[in-house]
Every structure is written in C-alpha cells, then in structure tokens.
Coordinates of all heavy atoms in Angstrom, one line a residue:
D1 N 51.7 27.4 32.5 CA 52.6 28.1 33.5 C 54.1 27.8 33.0 O 54.3 27.0 32.1 CB 52.4 27.5 34.9 CG 52.9 28.5 35.9 OD1 53.1 29.7 35.6 OD2 53.1 28.0 37.1
Y2 N 55.0 28.5 33.7 CA 56.4 28.3 33.3 C 57.3 28.4 34.6 O 56.9 28.9 35.6 CB 56.9 29.4 32.3 CG 56.9 30.7 32.9 CD1 58.1 31.2 33.4 CD2 55.7 31.5 32.9 CE1 58.1 32.5 34.0 CE2 55.8 32.8 33.5 CZ 56.9 33.3 34.0 OH 57.0 34.5 34.5
H3 N 58.5 27.8 34.5 CA 59.5 27.9 35.5 C 60.9 27.9 34.8 O 61.1 26.9 34.1 CB 59.4 26.8 36.5 CG 60.5 27.0 37.6 ND1 61.7 26.4 37.5 CD2 60.5 27.7 38.7 CE1 62.4 26.7 38.6 NE2 61.7 27.5 39.3
S4 N 61.7 28.9 35.0 CA 63.0 29.0 34.3 C 62.8 28.8 32.8 O 62.1 29.7 32.2 CB 63.9 27.9 34.9 OG 65.2 28.0 34.4
T5 N 63.3 27.8 32.2 CA 63.2 27.6 30.7 C 62.2 26.6 30.4 O 62.1 26.2 29.2 CB 64.6 27.2 30.1 OG1 65.0 26.0 30.7 CG2 65.6 28.3 30.4
K6 N 61.4 26.1 31.3 CA 60.4 25.1 31.1 C 59.0 25.6 31.0 O 58.7 26.5 31.8 CB 60.5 24.0 32.1 CG 61.8 23.2 32.1 CD 61.9 22.2 33.2 CE 63.3 21.5 33.1 NZ 63.5 20.6 34.3
V7 N 58.2 25.1 30.1 CA 56.8 25.6 30.0 C 55.9 24.4 30.1 O 56.2 23.3 29.5 CB 56.6 26.2 28.6 CG1 55.2 26.6 28.4 CG2 57.6 27.4 28.4
L8 N 54.9 24.5 30.9 CA 53.9 23.5 31.1 C 52.6 23.9 30.3 O 52.2 25.0 30.4 CB 53.5 23.4 32.6 CG 52.3 22.6 33.0 CD1 52.5 21.1 32.8 CD2 51.9 22.9 34.4
H9 N 52.1 22.9 29.5 CA 50.9 23.2 28.8 C 50.1 21.9 28.7 O 50.6 20.8 28.8 CB 51.1 23.8 27.4 CG 51.9 22.9 26.5 ND1 51.3 22.1 25.6 CD2 53.2 22.7 26.3 CE1 52.2 21.4 24.9 NE2 53.4 21.8 25.4
L10 N 48.8 22.0 28.4 CA 47.9 20.8 28.2 C 48.1 20.4 26.8 O 48.0 21.2 25.9 CB 46.5 21.2 28.5 CG 46.2 21.4 30.0 CD1 44.7 21.8 30.1 CD2 46.5 20.2 30.9
T11 N 48.3 19.1 26.6 CA 48.3 18.5 25.2 C 47.0 17.8 24.9 O 46.7 17.5 23.8 CB 49.5 17.5 25.1 OG1 49.6 16.7 26.2 CG2 50.8 18.3 25.0
S12 N 46.2 17.5 25.9 CA 44.8 17.0 25.8 C 44.1 17.3 27.1 O 44.7 17.9 28.0 CB 44.8 15.5 25.5 OG 45.1 14.8 26.6
L13 N 42.9 16.9 27.2 CA 42.2 17.2 28.5 C 42.7 16.5 29.7 O 42.6 16.9 30.8 CB 40.7 16.9 28.3 CG 39.9 17.7 27.3 CD1 38.5 17.3 27.2 CD2 40.0 19.2 27.6
L14 N 43.4 15.3 29.5 CA 43.9 14.6 30.6 C 45.4 14.3 30.5 O 45.9 13.3 31.0 CB 43.2 13.2 30.7 CG 41.7 13.3 31.0 CD1 41.0 12.0 30.9 CD2 41.5 14.0 32.3
E15 N 46.1 15.2 29.8 CA 47.6 15.1 29.6 C 48.2 16.4 29.6 O 47.8 17.3 28.9 CB 47.9 14.3 28.4 CG 49.4 14.1 28.2 CD 49.7 13.4 26.8 OE1 49.6 14.1 25.8 OE2 50.0 12.2 26.9
M16 N 49.3 16.6 30.3 CA 50.1 17.8 30.3 C 51.5 17.5 29.8 O 52.0 16.4 30.0 CB 50.1 18.5 31.6 CG 50.8 17.8 32.7 SD 50.8 18.8 34.3 CE 51.4 17.6 35.4
S17 N 52.1 18.4 29.1 CA 53.5 18.3 28.6 C 54.3 19.4 29.2 O 53.9 20.5 29.4 CB 53.5 18.3 27.1 OG 52.9 17.2 26.6
I18 N 55.6 19.1 29.4 CA 56.6 20.1 29.9 C 57.7 20.1 28.8 O 58.2 19.1 28.5 CB 57.2 19.7 31.3 CG1 56.0 19.7 32.3 CG2 58.2 20.8 31.7 CD1 56.4 19.1 33.6
V19 N 57.9 21.3 28.3 CA 58.9 21.5 27.2 C 60.0 22.5 27.7 O 59.7 23.5 28.4 CB 58.2 22.1 26.0 CG1 59.1 22.4 24.9 CG2 57.0 21.2 25.5
D20 N 61.2 22.2 27.4 CA 62.3 23.1 27.7 C 62.5 23.9 26.4 O 62.9 23.4 25.3 CB 63.6 22.3 28.0 CG 64.7 23.2 28.5 OD1 64.8 24.3 28.0 OD2 65.4 22.8 29.4
I21 N 62.3 25.2 26.5 CA 62.4 26.1 25.3 C 63.8 26.3 24.8 O 64.0 26.6 23.7 CB 61.6 27.4 25.5 CG1 62.2 28.2 26.7 CG2 60.2 27.2 25.7 CD1 61.7 29.6 26.9
N22 N 64.8 26.2 25.7 CA 66.2 26.3 25.3 C 66.7 25.2 24.5 O 67.3 25.3 23.5 CB 67.1 26.5 26.5 CG 67.1 28.0 27.0 OD1 66.6 28.9 26.4 ND2 67.8 28.2 28.1
K23 N 66.3 24.0 24.9 CA 66.7 22.7 24.2 C 65.7 22.4 23.1 O 65.9 21.4 22.4 CB 66.8 21.6 25.2 CG 67.8 21.8 26.2 CD 67.9 20.7 27.2 CE 68.9 21.0 28.3 NZ 68.9 20.0 29.4
R24 N 64.6 23.1 23.1 CA 63.5 22.9 22.1 C 63.1 21.4 22.0 O 62.9 20.8 21.0 CB 64.0 23.3 20.7 CG 64.3 24.8 20.6 CD 64.7 25.2 19.2 NE 65.1 26.6 19.2 CZ 64.3 27.6 18.8 NH1 63.1 27.3 18.4 NH2 64.7 28.8 18.8
G25 N 62.9 20.9 23.2 CA 62.5 19.5 23.3 C 61.6 19.2 24.4 O 61.5 19.9 25.4
L26 N 60.9 18.1 24.3 CA 60.0 17.6 25.3 C 60.7 17.1 26.5 O 61.6 16.3 26.4 CB 59.0 16.5 24.8 CG 58.0 16.0 25.7 CD1 56.9 17.0 26.0 CD2 57.4 14.7 25.0
V27 N 60.4 17.5 27.7 CA 61.0 17.0 29.0 C 60.2 15.8 29.4 O 60.8 14.8 29.7 CB 61.0 18.1 30.1 CG1 61.5 17.5 31.4 CG2 61.9 19.3 29.6
T28 N 58.9 15.9 29.5 CA 58.0 14.8 29.9 C 56.6 15.1 29.5 O 56.2 16.2 29.4 CB 58.2 14.5 31.4 OG1 57.5 13.3 31.7 CG2 57.6 15.6 32.3
K29 N 55.8 14.0 29.5 CA 54.4 14.0 29.4 C 53.8 13.4 30.6 O 54.4 12.3 31.0 CB 53.9 13.3 28.1 CG 54.1 14.1 26.8 CD 53.4 13.3 25.7 CE 53.6 14.1 24.4 NZ 52.9 13.5 23.3
V30 N 52.7 13.9 31.1 CA 52.2 13.4 32.4 C 50.7 13.2 32.2 O 50.0 14.1 31.8 CB 52.4 14.3 33.6 CG1 51.8 13.8 34.8 CG2 53.9 14.6 33.7
D31 N 50.2 12.0 32.4 CA 48.7 11.7 32.5 C 48.2 12.3 33.8 O 48.7 12.0 34.8 CB 48.4 10.2 32.4 CG 48.8 9.7 31.0 OD1 48.7 10.4 30.0 OD2 49.3 8.5 30.9
I32 N 47.1 13.0 33.7 CA 46.6 13.7 34.9 C 45.2 13.1 35.2 O 44.5 12.5 34.4 CB 46.5 15.2 34.7 CG1 45.8 15.6 33.5 CG2 48.0 15.7 34.7 CD1 45.7 17.1 33.3
E33 N 44.7 13.3 36.4 CA 43.5 12.8 37.0 C 42.2 13.4 36.4 O 41.3 12.7 36.2 CB 43.5 12.9 38.5 CG 44.6 12.3 39.2 CD 44.4 10.8 39.4 OE1 43.3 10.4 39.6 OE2 45.4 10.1 39.3
T34 N 42.2 14.7 36.1 CA 41.0 15.4 35.7 C 41.4 16.5 34.9 O 42.5 17.0 34.9 CB 40.2 15.8 37.0 OG1 39.0 16.4 36.6 CG2 41.0 16.9 37.8
E35 N 40.4 17.0 34.1 CA 40.6 18.2 33.3 C 40.8 19.4 34.3 O 39.9 19.7 35.1 CB 39.4 18.5 32.4 CG 39.6 19.7 31.6 CD 38.3 20.0 30.8 OE1 37.4 19.2 30.7 OE2 38.2 21.1 30.2
P36 N 42.0 20.1 34.2 CA 42.3 21.1 35.2 C 41.7 22.5 34.9 O 41.5 22.8 33.7 CB 43.8 21.2 35.2 CG 44.2 20.8 33.9 CD 43.1 19.8 33.4
A37 N 41.4 23.3 35.9 CA 41.0 24.7 35.7 C 42.3 25.6 35.9 O 42.2 26.7 35.4 CB 40.0 25.0 36.8
F38 N 43.3 25.1 36.5 CA 44.6 25.9 36.7 C 45.7 24.9 36.8 O 45.6 23.7 37.0 CB 44.5 26.7 37.9 CG 44.3 26.0 39.2 CD1 45.4 25.4 39.9 CD2 43.0 25.8 39.7 CE1 45.2 24.7 41.1 CE2 42.8 25.0 40.9 CZ 43.9 24.5 41.6
C39 N 46.9 25.4 36.5 CA 48.1 24.6 36.6 C 49.3 25.5 37.1 O 49.2 26.7 37.1 CB 48.5 24.0 35.3 SG 48.9 25.1 34.0
A40 N 50.3 24.8 37.7 CA 51.5 25.5 38.2 C 52.7 24.7 37.9 O 52.6 23.4 38.0 CB 51.4 25.9 39.6
L41 N 53.9 25.3 37.7 CA 55.1 24.5 37.5 C 56.2 25.1 38.4 O 56.4 26.3 38.4 CB 55.5 24.6 36.0 CG 56.8 23.9 35.6 CD1 56.6 22.4 35.8 CD2 57.1 24.2 34.1
G42 N 56.9 24.2 39.1 CA 58.0 24.6 39.9 C 59.3 23.8 39.4 O 59.2 23.2 38.4
P43 N 60.4 23.9 40.1 CA 61.6 23.3 39.7 C 61.5 21.8 39.7 O 62.2 21.2 38.8 CB 62.6 23.8 40.7 CG 61.9 24.3 41.9 CD 60.5 24.7 41.4
D44 N 60.8 21.2 40.6 CA 60.7 19.7 40.6 C 59.3 19.1 40.5 O 59.2 17.9 40.5 CB 61.3 19.2 42.0 CG 62.8 19.6 42.1 OD1 63.5 19.5 41.1 OD2 63.2 20.0 43.2
H45 N 58.3 20.0 40.6 CA 56.9 19.5 40.6 C 56.0 20.3 39.7 O 56.3 21.5 39.4 CB 56.3 19.5 42.0 CG 57.0 18.6 43.0 ND1 58.2 19.0 43.6 CD2 56.8 17.3 43.3 CE1 58.6 17.9 44.4 NE2 57.7 16.9 44.2
A46 N 55.0 19.7 39.2 CA 53.9 20.4 38.5 C 52.6 20.1 39.3 O 52.5 19.1 39.9 CB 53.8 19.9 37.1
A47 N 51.7 21.1 39.2 CA 50.4 20.9 39.9 C 49.3 21.3 39.0 O 49.4 22.2 38.2 CB 50.4 21.7 41.2
V48 N 48.2 20.5 39.1 CA 47.0 20.8 38.3 C 45.8 20.7 39.3 O 45.9 20.0 40.3 CB 46.8 19.9 37.1 CG1 47.8 20.1 36.1 CG2 46.6 18.5 37.5
G49 N 44.8 21.5 39.1 CA 43.7 21.4 40.0 C 42.4 22.0 39.4 O 42.4 22.6 38.3
M50 N 41.4 21.8 40.3 CA 40.0 22.3 39.9 C 39.3 22.5 41.2 O 39.4 21.7 42.2 CB 39.3 21.2 39.1 CG 38.0 21.6 38.6 SD 37.4 20.5 37.3 CE 36.5 19.4 38.4
N51 N 38.6 23.7 41.3 CA 37.9 24.1 42.5 C 38.9 24.2 43.7 O 39.7 25.0 43.7 CB 36.7 23.2 42.8 CG 35.7 23.2 41.6 OD1 35.5 24.2 41.0 ND2 35.1 22.1 41.4
N52 N 38.7 23.3 44.7 CA 39.6 23.3 45.8 C 40.6 22.2 45.9 O 41.2 22.0 46.9 CB 38.7 23.4 47.1 CG 38.0 22.1 47.4 OD1 37.7 21.4 46.5 ND2 37.8 21.8 48.6
Q53 N 40.7 21.4 44.8 CA 41.6 20.2 44.8 C 42.8 20.4 43.9 O 42.7 21.0 42.9 CB 40.8 19.0 44.3 CG 39.6 18.6 45.2 CD 38.9 17.4 44.6 OE1 39.0 17.1 43.5 NE2 38.2 16.7 45.5
V54 N 43.9 19.9 44.4 CA 45.2 20.0 43.6 C 45.9 18.7 43.6 O 45.9 18.0 44.6 CB 46.1 21.1 44.3 CG1 47.4 21.2 43.5 CG2 45.5 22.4 44.4
W55 N 46.4 18.3 42.5 CA 47.2 17.1 42.3 C 48.6 17.6 42.0 O 48.9 18.3 41.1 CB 46.7 16.3 41.2 CG 45.3 15.6 41.5 CD1 45.1 14.4 42.0 CD2 44.0 16.2 41.3 NE1 43.8 14.2 42.1 CE2 43.1 15.3 41.7 CE3 43.6 17.4 40.8 CZ2 41.7 15.5 41.7 CZ3 42.2 17.7 40.8 CH2 41.3 16.7 41.2
F56 N 49.6 17.0 42.7 CA 51.0 17.4 42.5 C 51.7 16.2 41.9 O 51.6 15.0 42.3 CB 51.7 17.7 43.9 CG 51.2 18.9 44.5 CD1 50.1 18.8 45.4 CD2 51.8 20.1 44.3 CE1 49.7 20.0 46.1 CE2 51.3 21.3 44.9 CZ 50.2 21.2 45.8
Y57 N 52.5 16.5 40.8 CA 53.3 15.4 40.1 C 54.7 15.8 40.1 O 55.1 16.9 40.0 CB 52.8 15.4 38.6 CG 51.3 15.0 38.5 CD1 50.3 15.9 38.5 CD2 51.0 13.6 38.3 CE1 49.0 15.5 38.4 CE2 49.7 13.2 38.2 CZ 48.7 14.2 38.3 OH 47.4 13.8 38.1
R58 N 55.6 14.7 40.2 CA 57.0 14.9 40.1 C 57.4 15.1 38.7 O 56.9 14.4 37.8 CB 57.7 13.6 40.7 CG 59.1 13.7 40.8 CD 59.5 14.2 42.1 NE 61.0 14.1 42.3 CZ 61.7 15.0 42.9 NH1 61.1 16.0 43.5 NH2 63.0 14.8 43.0
T59 N 58.4 16.1 38.4 CA 58.8 16.4 37.1 C 60.3 16.1 36.8 O 60.8 16.4 35.8 CB 58.5 17.8 36.7 OG1 59.1 18.7 37.6 CG2 57.0 18.1 36.7
T60 N 61.0 15.6 37.8 CA 62.4 15.3 37.7 C 62.7 13.9 38.4 O 61.9 13.4 39.1 CB 63.3 16.3 38.4 OG1 62.9 16.4 39.8 CG2 63.1 17.7 37.8
G61 N 63.8 13.4 38.0 CA 64.3 12.1 38.7 C 63.6 10.9 38.1 O 62.9 10.9 37.1
A62 N 63.9 9.8 38.9 CA 63.4 8.5 38.4 C 61.8 8.3 38.5 O 61.2 7.6 37.7 CB 64.0 7.4 39.3
S63 N 61.2 9.1 39.4 CA 59.8 9.0 39.5 C 59.0 10.1 38.7 O 57.9 10.5 39.0 CB 59.4 9.1 41.0 OG 59.8 10.3 41.6
M64 N 59.7 10.6 37.6 CA 59.1 11.6 36.8 C 57.7 11.2 36.3 O 57.5 10.1 35.8 CB 60.0 11.9 35.6 CG 59.6 13.1 34.8 SD 60.6 13.4 33.3 CE 62.2 13.5 34.0
G65 N 56.8 12.1 36.4 CA 55.4 11.9 36.0 C 54.5 11.2 37.0 O 53.3 11.1 36.7
R66 N 55.0 10.9 38.1 CA 54.2 10.2 39.1 C 53.5 11.1 40.0 O 54.0 12.2 40.4 CB 55.2 9.3 40.0 CG 54.4 8.5 41.0 CD 55.3 7.6 41.8 NE 55.8 6.5 40.9 CZ 56.9 5.8 41.1 NH1 57.6 6.0 42.2 NH2 57.2 4.9 40.2
L67 N 52.3 10.8 40.4 CA 51.5 11.6 41.3 C 52.1 11.4 42.7 O 52.3 10.3 43.2 CB 50.0 11.1 41.3 CG 49.1 11.7 42.3 CD1 48.8 13.2 41.9 CD2 47.8 11.0 42.4
V68 N 52.4 12.5 43.3 CA 53.1 12.4 44.6 C 52.2 12.9 45.8 O 52.4 12.6 46.9 CB 54.4 13.2 44.7 CG1 55.5 12.5 43.8 CG2 54.3 14.6 44.3
N69 N 51.2 13.7 45.5 CA 50.3 14.2 46.5 C 49.0 14.7 45.9 O 49.0 15.2 44.8 CB 51.0 15.3 47.3 CG 50.3 15.6 48.6 OD1 49.4 14.9 49.1 ND2 50.7 16.7 49.3
R70 N 47.9 14.6 46.7 CA 46.6 15.2 46.4 C 46.2 16.0 47.6 O 46.3 15.5 48.7 CB 45.6 14.2 46.0 CG 44.3 14.7 45.7 CD 43.3 13.6 45.5 NE 41.9 14.2 45.4 CZ 41.2 14.5 46.5 NH1 41.7 14.3 47.7 NH2 40.0 15.0 46.3
R71 N 45.8 17.2 47.4 CA 45.5 18.1 48.5 C 44.2 18.8 48.3 O 43.9 19.3 47.2 CB 46.6 19.1 48.6 CG 46.4 20.2 49.7 CD 47.3 19.9 50.8 NE 46.9 20.8 51.9 CZ 47.7 21.3 52.8 NH1 49.0 20.9 52.7 NH2 47.3 22.1 53.7
D72 N 43.4 18.9 49.3 CA 42.1 19.7 49.3 C 42.4 21.0 50.2 O 42.9 20.9 51.3 CB 41.0 19.0 50.0 CG 40.5 17.8 49.1 OD1 40.6 17.8 47.9 OD2 40.1 16.8 49.7
Y73 N 42.0 22.1 49.6 CA 42.1 23.4 50.3 C 40.7 23.9 50.8 O 39.7 23.4 50.3 CB 42.8 24.4 49.4 CG 44.2 24.2 49.2 CD1 44.7 23.4 48.1 CD2 45.2 24.7 50.0 CE1 46.0 23.1 47.9 CE2 46.6 24.4 49.8 CZ 46.9 23.6 48.8 OH 48.3 23.3 48.6
M74 N 40.7 24.9 51.6 CA 39.5 25.3 52.3 C 38.5 26.0 51.3 O 37.3 25.9 51.5 CB 39.8 26.2 53.5 CG 40.6 25.5 54.6 SD 39.7 24.1 55.3 CE 38.5 25.0 56.2
G75 N 39.0 26.7 50.3 CA 38.2 27.4 49.4 C 38.6 27.2 48.0 O 39.5 26.5 47.7
S76 N 37.8 27.7 47.0 CA 38.1 27.6 45.6 C 39.4 28.3 45.3 O 39.5 29.5 45.6 CB 36.9 28.1 44.8 OG 37.1 27.9 43.5
I77 N 40.2 27.7 44.5 CA 41.6 28.2 44.2 C 41.5 29.1 42.9 O 41.0 28.6 41.9 CB 42.6 27.1 44.1 CG1 42.7 26.3 45.4 CG2 43.9 27.6 43.6 CD1 43.5 25.0 45.3
S78 N 42.0 30.3 43.0 CA 42.1 31.2 41.9 C 43.3 31.0 41.1 O 43.3 30.9 39.8 CB 42.0 32.7 42.3 OG 40.8 32.9 43.0
T79 N 44.5 30.9 41.8 CA 45.8 30.7 41.1 C 46.7 30.0 42.1 O 46.5 30.0 43.3 CB 46.4 32.0 40.6 OG1 47.5 31.8 39.8 CG2 46.7 33.0 41.7
M80 N 47.8 29.5 41.5 CA 48.8 28.8 42.4 C 50.2 29.0 41.8 O 50.4 29.1 40.6 CB 48.4 27.3 42.3 CG 49.4 26.4 43.0 SD 48.7 24.8 43.0 CE 49.5 24.1 44.4
K81 N 51.2 29.0 42.7 CA 52.6 29.1 42.3 C 53.4 28.1 43.2 O 53.0 27.8 44.3 CB 53.2 30.5 42.6 CG 52.6 31.6 41.7 CD 53.0 31.3 40.2 CE 52.4 32.3 39.3 NZ 52.6 32.0 37.9
I82 N 54.4 27.5 42.6 CA 55.2 26.5 43.3 C 56.7 26.9 43.3 O 57.2 27.3 42.3 CB 55.1 25.1 42.6 CG1 53.7 24.7 42.5 CG2 55.9 24.1 43.3 CD1 53.5 23.4 41.7
S83 N 57.4 26.8 44.4 CA 58.8 26.9 44.5 C 59.4 25.6 44.8 O 58.8 24.6 44.7 CB 59.2 27.9 45.7 OG 59.0 27.3 46.9
A84 N 60.7 25.6 45.1 CA 61.4 24.3 45.4 C 60.9 23.6 46.7 O 60.9 22.4 46.8 CB 62.9 24.5 45.5
T85 N 60.4 24.4 47.6 CA 59.9 23.9 48.9 C 58.5 24.2 49.3 O 58.0 23.5 50.2 CB 60.8 24.4 50.0 OG1 60.8 25.9 50.0 CG2 62.3 24.0 49.8
H86 N 57.8 25.1 48.6 CA 56.5 25.5 49.0 C 55.5 25.6 47.8 O 56.0 25.8 46.7 CB 56.5 26.8 49.7 CG 57.2 26.8 51.1 ND1 58.5 26.8 51.2 CD2 56.7 26.7 52.3 CE1 58.8 26.7 52.5 NE2 57.7 26.6 53.2
A87 N 54.2 25.5 48.1 CA 53.2 25.8 47.2 C 52.3 26.9 47.8 O 51.9 26.8 48.9 CB 52.4 24.6 46.9
A88 N 52.0 27.9 47.0 CA 51.2 29.0 47.5 C 49.9 29.0 46.6 O 50.0 29.0 45.4 CB 51.9 30.3 47.4
V89 N 48.8 29.1 47.3 CA 47.5 29.2 46.6 C 46.8 30.5 46.9 O 46.8 30.9 48.1 CB 46.6 28.0 46.8 CG1 47.2 26.7 46.3 CG2 46.2 27.8 48.3
L90 N 46.1 31.1 46.0 CA 45.2 32.2 46.2 C 43.8 31.7 46.2 O 43.3 31.2 45.2 CB 45.4 33.3 45.1 CG 44.6 34.5 45.3 CD1 44.9 35.3 46.5 CD2 44.7 35.4 44.1
T91 N 43.2 31.7 47.4 CA 41.8 31.2 47.5 C 41.0 32.3 48.2 O 41.3 32.7 49.3 CB 41.8 29.9 48.3 OG1 40.5 29.5 48.5 CG2 42.5 29.9 49.6
E92 N 39.9 32.7 47.6 CA 39.0 33.7 48.1 C 39.7 35.0 48.6 O 39.5 35.5 49.6 CB 38.2 33.1 49.3 CG 37.3 31.9 48.8 CD 36.6 31.2 49.9 OE1 36.7 31.6 51.1 OE2 35.9 30.3 49.5
G93 N 40.7 35.4 47.7 CA 41.4 36.6 48.0 C 42.5 36.5 49.0 O 43.2 37.5 49.3
K94 N 42.8 35.3 49.5 CA 43.9 35.2 50.6 C 44.9 34.1 50.1 O 44.5 33.2 49.4 CB 43.2 34.7 51.9 CG 42.3 35.7 52.5 CD 41.7 35.2 53.7 CE 40.6 36.3 54.2 NZ 40.0 35.8 55.4
V95 N 46.1 34.3 50.5 CA 47.2 33.4 50.2 C 47.3 32.3 51.3 O 47.2 32.6 52.5 CB 48.6 34.1 50.0 CG1 49.7 33.0 49.8 CG2 48.5 35.0 48.9

C-alpha cells in the first residue's frame, strides 16, 4: 500500500518495510505478528491483517514500529484504508 510518498511492502513473511520514494531511503522496518493477507498505510500508522483480525503499528515518532492496537472485525476483511484519524474496512461488501 502507499500514502503520500511512502510505500509499504513485505520484506519477509513476518516483516514489513516502509520506504520514502522521494528520499529513496528506508523509513522503518517493523516485525509483524503473522503473515498478512492485506495491508494498509496511513500518515502515522500501518496495519496488517488476515481474515477478520487487524494489527496496527505506529510508523512515526519515538514509538515507531510498536504494536499499538489489535482489532477483530465482524466479518472477513477484503481491503482496508487508513487516514490520520480513522480506519475503514470493507467486509462482506460493506464499509
């Protein structure tokens, strides 16, 4: 996924990297809990998930790379987007 000039990608099954394409450099690497089926990147957080579970990680500040929340949703998640204040999930055709 991407946000502004940053791109999120998996570097291994249990690690994601965020790269700033303008600066052509690594912003951070984050160890993740499980091999994800989907991912999302926002201005301050990244999320990875599988089925109906999502893990949110901080991508800025002193706590960069830290797990900040784990959430279970009612149905299986198809896709996800993150803004500065909200996370939206598409599950079973509904947002």
Side-chain angles (χ1 to χ4, degrees):
D1 199 19
Y2 67 94
H3 181 269
S4 185
T5 62
K6 296 178 183 172
V7 177
L8 168 69
H9 65 92
L10 291 178
T11 46
S12 73
L13 295 178
L14 297 176
E15 182 183 76
M16 65 180 171
S17 294
I18 300 171
V19 178
D20 189 322
I21 58 172
N22 279 350
K23 297 178 183 173
R24 298 182 186 259
L26 181 69
V27 174
T28 189
K29 285 187 178 183
V30 179
D31 293 325
I32 55 180
E33 300 282 324
T34 185
E35 179 184 351
F38 59 87
C39 63
L41 182 62
D44 298 318
H45 295 86
V48 294
M50 187 167 87
N51 299 325
N52 68 330
Q53 298 178 338
V54 180
W55 291 265
F56 294 92
Y57 296 88
R58 185 89 172 146
T59 59
T60 59
S63 60
M64 186 182 304
R66 182 175 294 159
L67 177 68
V68 292
N69 194 9
R70 181 185 166 278
R71 175 107 189 212
D72 292 327
Y73 289 90
M74 297 299 284
S76 186
I77 299 168
S78 302
T79 190
M80 177 174 205
K81 293 294 179 187
I82 302 175
S83 75
T85 57
H86 291 80
V89 295
L90 180 63
T91 175
E92 298 174 359
K94 297 178 184 176
V95 177

